[in-house]
């Protein structure tokens, strides 16, 4: 993401803690530079892993921080609640045993949230269905999961010109108009996002994308590919299998996928 020198990077961990980092504290290296491990920049506790990061320039801007957990819980807190940095970090949300924080986004208070699961379900609901809470609250139920399912991503839907892009373990992707995902009440099971049978496998990530956005996909064996989202054919049906995005080697699967917004170019 784009951030100015004096912006803060909020580093959220899977255990629900948040740490502050100034952009100028991160080594400035070229495109081929290795960078520096985040664990050497912030004092993570034992067993903590980075779940998500967010750049903030002004904590006084009326905005919210929305968090989602693996087991389908969501929480919304005013951005101003994180305006006092502490070296040791603070609790951002309470995470129950056998659950973990997976995604964090900044919202305006009037956006829609899209929670997507590994078994190909998705639910879209208005952000205002999640009331504002204090930092230590657990949150409320965002999606009701079937046995063996888990939330893999949270997206913020800001306008109807966006499309929803889903990528699976089998290197298959599908792009659908955001209008294909009707608003529902928070806490339901959602609708079909993409089929996860056969070659597709489970969903790795799903993103609302703008025109000009790009996608970086990396496999378990270290193969990487960068694609323009606009080149992926749109479908009008949410329940289709999708199209092949990359050829995988034997016993290889997609491990992770990341969105590169158009404005970063």
């Amino acid at each position: 993401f784009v951030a100015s020198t004096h912006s803060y990077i909020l580093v959220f961990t899977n255990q629900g803690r948040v740490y502050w980092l100034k952009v100028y504290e991160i080594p400035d290296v070229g495109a081929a530079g290795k960078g520096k491990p985040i664990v050497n920049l912030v004092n993570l506790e034992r067993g903590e892993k980075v779940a998500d990061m967010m750049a903030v320039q002004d904590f006084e801007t009326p905005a919210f921080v929305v968090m989602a957990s693996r087991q389908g819980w969501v929480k919304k807190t005013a951005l101003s609640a994180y305006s006092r940095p502490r070296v040791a970090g603070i609790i951002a949300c309470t995470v129950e045993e056998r659950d973990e924080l997976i995604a964090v986004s900044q919202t305006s208070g009037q956006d829609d949230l899209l929670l997507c699961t590994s078994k190909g379900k998705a639910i879209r609901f208005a952000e205002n269905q999640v009331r504002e809470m204090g930092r230590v609250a657990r949150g409320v139920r965002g999606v009701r999961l079937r046995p063996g399912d888990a939330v893999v991503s949270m997206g913020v839907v800001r306008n109807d010109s966006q499309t929803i892009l889903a990528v699976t373990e089998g290197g298959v992707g599908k792009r659908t108009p955001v209008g294909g995902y009707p608003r529902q009440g928070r806490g339901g099971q959602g609708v079909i996002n993409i089929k996860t049978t056969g070659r597709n496998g489970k969903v790795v990530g799903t993103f609302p994308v703008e025109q000009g956005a790009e996608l970086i996909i990396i496999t378990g064996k270290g193969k990487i590919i960068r694609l323009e989202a606009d080149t992926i054919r749109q479908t009008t049906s949410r329940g289709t299998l999708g199209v092949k995005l990359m050829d995988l080697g034997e016993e290889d699967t997609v491990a992770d996928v990341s969105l590169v917004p158009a404005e970063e170019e």
Side-chain angles (χ1 to χ4, degrees):
F1 44 77
V2 176
S4 65
T5 304
H6 293 282
S7 292
Y8 279 102
I9 304 295
L10 297 186
V11 181
F12 293 84
T13 73
N14 62 329
Q15 294 181 6
R17 293 183 66 83
V18 59
Y19 299 84
W20 288 261
L21 185 63
K22 276 285 193 177
V23 171
Y24 63 72
E25 296 173 339
I26 303 171
D28 187 3
V29 299
K34 187 176 181 180
K36 191 172 183 179
I38 294 176
V39 293
N40 292 344
L41 298 172
V42 294
N43 299 318
L44 299 181
E45 294 186 350
R46 183 181 297 273
E48 281 189 313
K49 297 184 296 182
V50 175
D52 209 346
M53 296 188 292
M54 187 175 71
V56 178
Q57 187 167 2
D58 180 12
F59 286 98
E60 301 307 316
T61 301
F64 297 94
V65 177
V66 176
M67 290 159 264
S69 80
R70 186 76 67 189
Q71 295 301 316
W73 293 81
V74 292
K75 197 192 98 166
K76 182 171 72 173
T77 303
L79 177 61
S80 58
Y82 303 96
S83 61
R84 297 181 180 178
R86 296 183 189 174
V87 174
I90 61 173
I91 295 174
C93 68
T94 297
V95 178
E96 297 293 323
E97 191 176 355
R98 295 185 300 277
D99 197 3
E100 63 177 348
L101 184 67
I102 63 160
V104 179
S105 291
Q106 184 174 324
T107 65
S108 68
Q110 302 299 320
D111 299 318
D112 284 358
L113 302 178
L114 183 74
L115 298 181
C116 301
T117 78
S118 63
K119 290 190 174 182
K121 300 284 281 188
I123 185 169
R124 176 186 178 186
F125 56 88
E127 175 192 346
N128 58 24
Q129 290 191 19
V130 183
R131 69 183 185 278
E132 181 184 342
M133 307 173 199
R135 287 190 296 101
V136 297
R138 180 187 183 186
V140 294
R141 176 72 68 182
V143 59
R144 193 164 299 279
L145 300 170
R146 295 174 294 174
D149 204 359
V151 175
V152 294
S153 61
M154 175 184 70
V156 179
V157 179
R158 293 188 165 92
N159 59 71
D160 289 336
S161 66
Q162 293 176 303
T163 55
I164 306 301
L165 176 60
V167 180
T168 71
E169 292 176 327
V172 173
K174 183 179 69 69
R175 196 160 61 100
T176 310
V178 72
Y181 295 80
R183 289 185 182 90
Q184 297 179 279
R186 173 186 59 77
Q189 293 188 355
V191 296
I192 295 175
N193 179 24
I194 184 173
K195 290 185 177 179
T196 56
T197 55
R199 62 169 186 167
N200 283 14
K202 292 183 178 180
V203 177
V204 175
T206 302
F207 309 93
V209 297
E210 304 278 358
Q211 187 173 4
E214 294 188 347
L215 200 66
I216 294 178
I217 304 172
I218 188 168
T219 74
K221 293 188 175 181
K223 187 176 180 180
I224 192 168
I225 188 173
R226 182 168 178 161
L227 300 170
E228 294 180 4
D230 294 342
T231 63
I232 302 171
R233 178 175 55 86
Q234 281 197 50
T235 63
T236 56
S237 173
R238 287 180 286 96
T240 56
L241 287 171
V243 296
K244 198 75 171 179
L245 300 183
M246 68 182 302
D247 292 321
L248 300 173
E250 188 175 352
E251 297 183 356
D252 200 4
T253 59
V254 172
D256 203 359
V257 57
S258 182
L259 185 66
V260 184
E263 61 267 26
E264 290 194 14
E265 290 301 326

